[in-house]
Amino acid sequence: MVAASRWAAGKAARPRLAAAAALLPAALLALLLLPPPRAAALTLPGMDEEKTITQEDPVVTKLKGMLSELREKVGDNPSDFKSLLEMGTLLARLNELDPDGGKRVPQALAAFRHALDLAHDPQVRSFVAAQMGDLLLAARFHREAVHILNQTVPLAQRSGLGKTDTFARMLLHFAKAQRELGNEGEAQRLFARALKTARKVSPHVYAQAWLGLEEYSEREVKELEDCAEFLRRRREGVDEEHLSDGEMDEWLDLAERWTWLDGELKSKKDQSAVAYALAAAHRQQGRHEEAWQALHDANEVRRTFDLYTRVDEEDNVGQLLRTFQVPKAPEQFENEADAVWAALLQGRWGYRNDSLRPIFVVGLPRSGAALLERILTRHSQVGSIGGQSALPTQLRGLLDLLAVEGELPTANITAAGNRTLARMRRQVGEKDAAKAGARFVLDRMLPNLWNIGFIATSLPDACILHVERHPADQGLSCYEQPFEGKFTRWSFNLSDIAHQVLLMQRVAEHWDALAPRRVLHVRYEDLVREQERVIRLVMDHCGIPWDDSVLKGGPKLHTQRVQRFRGQAHVLEPLLRPLRQLILRYERSAGLLEYSGPLLESLLGPEEEEGRKDDAGSISAGSSSGRERAEAEADGAREEL
Ligand SMILES: *[C@@H]1O[C@H](CO)[C@@H](O)[C@H](O)[C@H]1NC(C)=O
Ligand SMILES: *[C@@H]1O[C@H](CO)[C@@H](O)[C@H](O)[C@H]1NC(C)=O
Ligand SMILES: *[C@@H]1O[C@H](CO)[C@@H](O)[C@H](O)[C@H]1NC(C)=O
Ligand SMILES: *[C@@H]1O[C@H](CO)[C@@H](O)[C@H](O)[C@H]1NC(C)=O
Ligand SMILES: *[C@@H]1O[C@H](CO)[C@@H](O)[C@H](O)[C@H]1NC(C)=O
């Protein structure tokens, strides 16, 4: 028996916990505390991470001041249209600038809804609804966004807004929301319409709509090439004095065609969007070398403003793993504190409630999380809160609790778990009323991979699913993505990607040691090849009763990326060399048909030398015996899949 009141007795083990908070650097705290990636997309380069916790941004302070004034006004006059509209807009802006896990979203929506009821002029109504669409999309309330936009788009068109930036944005958001709901055909139609509307009207939508398209006609590829060429030359600078007359004419022609973009397409994200789209278009045509060039340009543009430091990330992970030390086996307990620590991590003082079981899907992006979510939420008892995780807001508090001197505040740990669950219950209802009473709620904030220690401590009932995928395929897929979140800044450079993959592998292995069998590893390839078997295992792991409805609809299979870029082996080296061992190990244990030993050997040379000079490999496994051990453990943990 373990008595939490005896926590203080085990002095020997105390420093490790007392120091837990001090161990965690501000940057990690910021990471843990910050809300989901989407909402945090506004974080700027060089921004002092500490400020996000302790010091408030002056703009945020000012907006909050304005907000309380508006609240008073609306309190005095609940039908004040202008104040309601301002209030909604302000709340939406605060949700971006000062994310609090989405708490302001329902308030903003209520204000907009009320404003909409008061507006009669179709143009005004369209405008309010467009603002609402923006917010719903940012908050990832896709169903509701589609509902609103479906009514608003025809209204806006009828009221003469058809060729405006507002209208183009509406179409773009409509398309994105449809895509998120899995209505790809409808989404494609809307992306094409957004592109058409945006030409010479909305540079931002123009760039982003290209990115949404899945197929490009010959004419469209030419247009994209032209646009990308203009942006590239603008970026790199044109030395007009040294151009021949012919070159000068050509440049002036090009510049004239795109003057409407110039100056307005300031956003590096939009500039890179055009390059990402061009890469996709060239890939579609089988022009892989040009595709690679465009992809490289796109990522370079992003990397220059979304700075990322490998060393910091590694430090953070080191601190995290030191904080959550693997508990000793019972026969090795030296004192009461060892026993308490083990019980704590088994969730002895966490909160469980039979009416709601949380499911956390964690891992790296492009590993099948969205597919898994889509399949599981077909079940009538499984709802989802998407990436708006309820967990991060509790982390700082939990960390403080672990560092408390004296008696372990067990009731407070229970209360923190209770708060997380209560919030998930509320969020799922807000997102989709039909799932308000769901027994299972899925949270798809992938970086919660960092937070499994906290989940194990506060939510003993939580079902944790770690999505995995062939490392090279996953890494390259990330490189092809125009990610926006602050958790994906490693995705713009192949060496950074390889480093991140190995680092997260290390984190996942740590949790397996800390809480054996707690995490189910779900391979993307298995999910695609043997969907029913894998989904049955997942549902069994989470205790979801079987229902045939989950098997409706088919997955989309992504093909082998490495093979596709084979002609340019040298460019893939920064990704493949550090990942070589992991790739082979992954393929072996997954039983993949596409064993890439020979391919890697032809690209990177014989494996023998690798082991000695491959220092990146040591992040994951260290000595070869350590590697074997890790492999055996990984196999053990995966047996059930
Ligand atoms: C959009 O509205 C039309 C009627 O204007 C309706 O037929 C259609 O089903 C709606 N689509 C969605 C996705 O709500
Ligand atoms: C479980 O959650 C429901 C809904 O919030 C609540 O009514 C009930 O009291 C909770 N049960 C326990 C044991 O806390
Ligand atoms: C635990 O919760 C109680 C009641 O809410 C509170 O008074 C106390 O300060 C909390 N303890 C810690 C260490 O946070
Ligand atoms: C959980 O929180 C609810 C209020 O949200 C409270 O009524 C209930 O007693 C709490 N349960 C536990 C076990 O703390
Ligand atoms: C990745 O970034 C590093 C600098 O941090 C650079 O030296 C390297 O060339 C980049 N790798 C690739 C493949 O672009």
Side-chain angles (χ1 to χ4, degrees), residues 14-65:
R14 296 287 306 159
R16 148 179 109 194
L17 282 173
L23 269 175
L24 287 177
L28 174 58
L29 274 177
L31 180 72
L32 295 173
L33 292 166
L34 272 170
R38 297 248 165 201
L42 240 114
T43 309
L44 300 167
M47 180 167 159
D48 182 0
E49 309 258 31
E50 212 167 337
K51 237 178 19 196
T52 59
I53 300 172
T54 49
Q55 281 169 291
E56 198 167 82
D57 181 342
V59 176
V60 170
T61 312
K62 187 157 163 246
L63 293 183
K64 281 185 179 169

Side-chain angles (χ1 to χ4, degrees), residues 111 362 440 508 527 588:
V362 303
F440 301 86
L527 196 52
R588 260 199 312 277

Side-chain angles (χ1 to χ4, degrees), residues 143 146-147 149-151 154 174 178 181 183 186:
R143 215 171 294 278
V146 163
H147 182 72
L149 287 163
N150 191 31
Q151 296 166 2
F174 200 178
Q178 289 284 25
L181 293 179
N183 305 325
E186 194 56 25

